[in-house]
Amino acid sequence: MKKTPTILIADDDANICELVRLYLEKEGFQTVVCLNGERALEIFRQGGIDLAILDIMMPKTDGVTVCREIRKESKMPIIMLTAKGETFDKVLCLDLGADDYIVKPFEGKELVARVKAVLRRSLSEDDENMEKVVSYENISINLTNYELIIKGESIDIPPKELELLYYLASHPNRVFTREQLLEDVWGFDYYGDSRTVDVHIKRIREKIEGLSENWQLKTVWSVGYKFEVK
């Protein structure tokens, strides 16, 4: 189950905080509200915040300073709030590490759209930076480094065989047709001979057959293949 994002709202105007809170909670987000930058930093350091909305002008510690301090410790998404006509160096703010900014007064739909867009970008970057490794008993398939480890030893394997094995192993017990595998692993709709999948499966089996009783690369007759895990 996906965690509901928690948004920190920091603005010295209680009415603005309440307005932003209502917009975001209506969209299903959880919120935490505070009225000064010092408290915003305390809440951030307690953990559990997924995105911060910071007003530029706040008592005790201003939003730019809060942004700078958060960036020393985290890549958490940050959106800055600024009043219309307020002296505000947008370039400086973005250079400090803010992901976006919104000028007050703003529409609720615009705020929500900006929050969702920044969170999407953040999640996408996390996925891209995440090491792609699937491991079972006696085998580890590393798509990031294109490395197959069997019983602790690196085994030579052609890239497409590794990609096919990784794809099946990362969807345990799910059956894929040859056509699905061609489209998802080879990356195109294949209208010709689908036996190329059979050839690759045969070669993979020669490398991994009999490694464990807890998993196997299995043929589902008249359908396709699956990585079966007991």
Side-chain angles (χ1 to χ4, degrees):
M1 183 180 295
K2 287 186 177 180
K3 173 183 176 290
T4 302
T6 299
I7 314 297
L8 169 62
I9 305 162
D11 194 307
D12 61 338
D13 186 330
N15 291 327
I16 291 289
C17 286
E18 180 65 8
L19 193 63
V20 173
R21 183 186 71 78
L22 289 171
Y23 284 144
L24 294 176
E25 291 187 356
K26 184 179 178 182
E27 292 295 317
F29 294 106
Q30 296 182 16
T31 61
V32 180
V33 173
C34 65
L35 301 176
N36 65 72
E38 187 178 284
R39 179 61 181 146
L41 278 172
E42 290 175 358
I43 293 170
F44 158 70
R45 287 172 176 147
Q46 289 169 4
I49 301 298
D50 298 289
L51 180 148
I53 298 174
L54 308 174
D55 185 33
I56 294 293
M57 301 300 292
M58 287 190 290
K60 297 189 178 181
T61 306
D62 63 47
V64 171
T65 302
V66 174
C67 178
R68 184 186 293 116
E69 290 302 308
I70 289 175
R71 274 294 163 266
K72 290 178 181 178
E73 304 173 36
S74 171
K75 294 181 179 179
M76 180 188 73
I78 298 171
I79 296 176
M80 307 301 293
L81 291 180
T82 179
K84 190 173 184 179
E86 191 172 75
T87 302
F88 172 48
D89 190 336
K90 298 169 186 175
V91 175
L92 171 63
C93 188
L94 295 174
D95 282 348
L96 285 170
D99 296 87
D100 202 352
Y101 62 86
I102 300 177
V103 178
K104 297 183 282 188
F106 49 80
E107 292 289 333
K109 288 182 179 179
E110 179 192 8
L111 172 73
V112 170
R114 297 282 187 102
V115 167
K116 288 181 176 179
V118 169
L119 283 172
R120 271 197 307 271
R121 289 199 300 269
S122 176
L123 291 171
S124 177
E125 288 171 5
D126 288 344
D127 288 343
E128 288 175 5
N129 294 329
M130 190 181 299
E131 189 174 34
K132 296 179 179 178
V133 181
V134 179
S135 298
Y136 295 95
E137 183 182 10
N138 293 330
I139 191 170
S140 177
I141 310 147
N142 188 322
L143 196 61
T144 303
N145 300 328
Y146 273 80
E147 187 175 38
L148 176 64
I149 304 295
I150 291 178
K151 293 184 176 180
E153 293 187 9
S154 180
I155 303 298
D156 288 335
I157 183 171
K160 195 56 66 178
E161 287 180 30
L162 185 79
E163 290 169 13
L164 178 57
L165 178 57
Y166 176 86
Y167 187 79
L168 289 165
S170 61
H171 299 87
N173 298 319
R174 179 177 167 184
V175 180
F176 293 92
T177 66
R178 292 165 178 81
E179 290 72 23
Q180 285 176 316
L181 292 171
L182 283 166
E183 183 174 351
D184 294 343
V185 178
W186 274 257
F188 58 87
D189 292 317
Y190 193 85
Y191 297 106
D193 191 349
S194 63
R195 284 181 296 180
T196 184
V197 174
D198 300 336
V199 172
H200 281 73
I201 291 289
K202 180 175 181 291
R203 291 172 180 167
I204 292 169
R205 278 198 176 121
E206 290 171 355
K207 298 176 176 70
I208 69 171
E209 201 75 41
L211 283 178
S212 172
E213 294 181 355
N214 295 318
W215 57 264
Q216 64 173 319
L217 190 53
K218 188 172 182 179
T219 300
V220 180
W221 297 109
S222 301
V223 183
Y225 298 99
K226 69 175 178 177
F227 190 93
E228 186 175 77
V229 178
K230 296 179 181 179

